[in-house]
Amino acid sequence: MQINLLLNMINTVCYTAHKVFNGKEMLPHHAVLVEDDYIKDVLPLVSIDGDIPIIDFGDAYIVPAFIDLQLYGSHGRLLAVYPEAQSVEEIYKYSTNGGAAYCMPTVATNPYPVIFKCVDAIRDYWAKGGKGVLGLHVEGPWMNPVKRGAHKLEWIFSPTVEQAKELLDYGKDVIKIITLAPELVSDEVIELIQSRDIVISAGHSNAIYEEANRAFDKGIVTATHLFNAMSPLQHRAPGLVGACFNHPGVCASIIPDGHHVDYPAIQIAKKLMNERLFVITDSVTETSEGYYQHVFEGDKYTSNGILSGSALTMAKAVYNLVHKVGISLSEALRMCSLYPARVMGMSDRIGLIRDGYLAKMAVLDNDLNVVKVID
């Protein structure tokens, strides 16, 4: 009995801080009881058994780990240029440095062989025991050239069923999100993607309001970087932005860096979309190789003079939402954790701090800097 008790204690640890945000409310002087990498309970600190090891972060916040569903590379290794497990590892490190224990490496519009190599890189990363990477986000090439942004025109196309199947078969169990222009992709292809349990995101799209609503009614659940590279809201042409605002079943990601979207526009979108709006970093890295040369300019990246990505971390996004948009801390945290978990259909196991969930948490100081990620 004593040996079993000792073994249980070794696998059990208690994390505490001045405040624990469980995803619903701020709990002062509480502790998170973790056993074998799962959360067992969230309790007042005074009720914790004195024999359980306690790690106290003091005057800080323990919050659900963030989830970044769109980023392309880090530390000089753009995934499309270096489609290797090491690049995936660098993306994961960048994410954890910003408080995200989960991330979705992304490849922009490229020829299929490049995308296939990115699929291979993630498979290799997983095979080597890599953690925290949910899969691959493929942004393009099935987009509208009118709204391509920094994407290369020569590789953009509308796929046949056979062309779509080629990509989906190669990326089986790795590709988890595809951003596409719904007005240029057939219903047959949309249904094929959905049959593979892949999240479809409407983006780089010039869809009119009616086309966008029709796509959302058919089960497209989210949109990529609201306002950017999509048909805008106009008083006689509400566009994809207007459809995102009005459709009750669709979510949208947004990039709160002050460059991709002005902060007052985020305020407006938040009032209209509420829990349907979530954060991505859309972060890239400086590179002079490959098809996309990203140049660091101040606190953003450009490619051929076009805004091509952010230098955000998720923690910086939380800071901007709170201090520059005026969103409450609790809601900003949900926009970076619970809401992206919902988009991926994973909110039953990540995105909250509660009994039965994976013990993935971030510790933030009072200035919202990352102290530690518990992953």
Side-chain angles (χ1 to χ4, degrees), residues 140 142-143 178-182 185 189-190 193 200-205 220:
W142 309 333
M143 61 175 54
I178 294 177
T179 291
L180 54 78
V185 178
V189 170
I190 296 291
I193 299 168
I200 302 176
S201 187
H204 288 274
S205 164
I220 292 180

Side-chain angles (χ1 to χ4, degrees), residues 71-79 82 86-98 283-287 289 301 310-313:
L71 70 169
Y72 304 83
S74 64
H75 305 127
R77 297 186 68 89
L78 197 70
L79 180 61
Y82 301 101
Q86 183 184 343
S87 301
V88 180
E89 174 70 19
E90 292 300 328
I91 290 171
Y92 174 68
K93 287 178 181 177
Y94 179 89
S95 294
T96 56
N97 288 341
S283 65
V284 298
T285 187
E286 198 163 23
T287 180
E289 299 181 58
Y301 290 89
S310 87
L312 271 181
T313 65

Side-chain angles (χ1 to χ4, degrees), residues 34-73:
V34 173
E35 187 173 292
D36 295 326
D37 299 322
Y38 283 86
I39 296 167
K40 188 174 182 181
D41 211 342
V42 182
L43 302 165
L45 181 59
V46 294
S47 66
I48 298 296
D49 188 322
D51 292 328
I52 296 174
I54 295 176
I55 299 174
D56 188 351
F57 292 100
D59 190 12
Y61 299 93
I62 296 176
V63 305
F66 305 139
I67 304 165
D68 189 356
L69 298 183
Q70 190 165 337
L71 70 169
Y72 304 83

Side-chain angles (χ1 to χ4, degrees), residues 50-355:
D51 292 328
I52 296 174
I54 295 176
I55 299 174
D56 188 351
F57 292 100
D59 190 12
Y61 299 93
I62 296 176
V63 305
F66 305 139
I67 304 165
D68 189 356
L69 298 183
Q70 190 165 337
L71 70 169
Y72 304 83
S74 64
H75 305 127
R77 297 186 68 89
L78 197 70
L79 180 61
V81 176
Y82 301 101
E84 304 160 3
Q86 183 184 343
S87 301
V88 180
E89 174 70 19
E90 292 300 328
I91 290 171
Y92 174 68
K93 287 178 181 177
Y94 179 89
S95 294
T96 56
N97 288 341
Y102 301 99
C103 63
M104 189 81 70
T106 306
V107 56
T109 295
N110 272 278
Y112 273 11
V114 174
I115 300 174
F116 292 168
K117 288 179 181 178
C118 293
V119 170
D120 293 341
I122 288 179
R123 284 201 177 107
D124 189 28
Y125 174 78
W126 286 341
K128 293 176 177 177
K131 58 184 179 178
V133 170
L134 299 176
L136 181 68
H137 181 163
V138 179
E139 187 189 23
W142 309 333
M143 61 175 54
N144 195 315
V146 174
K147 293 294 182 181
R148 66 184 183 276
H151 290 243
K152 296 289 187 181
L153 178 62
E154 55 263 42
W155 300 313
I156 294 172
F157 67 99
S158 298
T160 65
V161 171
E162 291 73 23
Q163 288 169 325
K165 192 172 185 298
E166 181 185 3
L167 178 64
L168 298 179
D169 286 349
Y170 197 94
K172 183 180 179 182
D173 299 326
V174 174
I175 296 174
K176 300 296 185 181
I177 303 176
I178 294 177
T179 291
L180 54 78
E183 73 276 17
L184 296 181
V185 178
S186 70
D187 288 349
E188 290 80 8
V189 170
I190 296 291
E191 290 167 5
L192 175 63
I193 299 168
Q194 290 171 330
S195 73
R196 304 295 182 91
D197 293 325
I198 294 170
V199 172
I200 302 176
S201 187
H204 288 274
S205 164
N206 204 34
I208 63 173
Y209 180 81
E210 291 77 13
E211 288 173 326
N213 265 321
R214 177 176 172 273
F216 295 151
D217 286 341
K218 286 183 171 292
I220 292 180
V221 297
T222 190
T224 293
H225 44 52
L226 184 68
F227 296 113
N228 298 117
M230 64 175 61
S231 45
L233 172 64
Q234 297 177 336
H235 67 295
R236 292 193 181 96
L240 179 52
V241 172
C244 289
F245 285 167
N246 265 0
H247 198 287
V250 69
C251 300
S253 61
I254 202 158
I255 308 165
D257 65 346
H259 298 292
H260 284 80
V261 185
D262 281 354
Y263 295 122
I266 299 177
Q267 289 178 328
I268 294 166
K270 185 61 180 172
K271 288 176 182 177
L272 293 170
M273 296 190 71
N274 197 6
E275 295 186 6
R276 297 186 291 119
L277 191 67
F278 68 97
V279 166
I280 55 171
T281 64
D282 198 56
S283 65
V284 298
T285 187
E286 198 163 23
T287 180
S288 60
E289 299 181 58
Y291 298 127
Y292 296 94
Q293 281 81 48
H294 297 286
V295 178
F296 186 57
E297 294 185 358
D299 57 352
K300 66 182 185 302
Y301 290 89
T302 62
S303 182
N304 296 318
I306 300 172
L307 181 65
S308 61
S310 87
L312 271 181
T313 65
M314 293 298 274
K316 180 62 175 178
V318 170
Y319 180 92
N320 288 346
L321 291 173
V322 172
H323 293 286
K324 298 183 180 181
V325 182
I327 294 173
S328 71
L329 175 57
S330 294
E331 184 62 12
L333 293 170
R334 282 187 284 265
M335 290 174 70
C336 295
S337 53
L338 177 60
Y339 301 160
R342 286 177 178 171
V343 169
M344 296 308 302
M346 300 177 71
S347 59
D348 60 340
R349 53 195 182 278
I350 64 174
L352 295 171
I353 296 177
R354 60 178 299 179
D355 180 23

Side-chain angles (χ1 to χ4, degrees), residues 18-30 42 60-64 328-331 333-334 364 368:
H18 182 64
K19 289 184 179 178
V20 173
F21 178 66
N22 63 5
K24 301 292 185 180
E25 58 184 333
M26 288 286 183
L27 303 172
H29 308 299
H30 273 60
V42 182
Y61 299 93
I62 296 176
V63 305
S328 71
L329 175 57
S330 294
E331 184 62 12
L333 293 170
R334 282 187 284 265
L364 308 179
L368 304 181

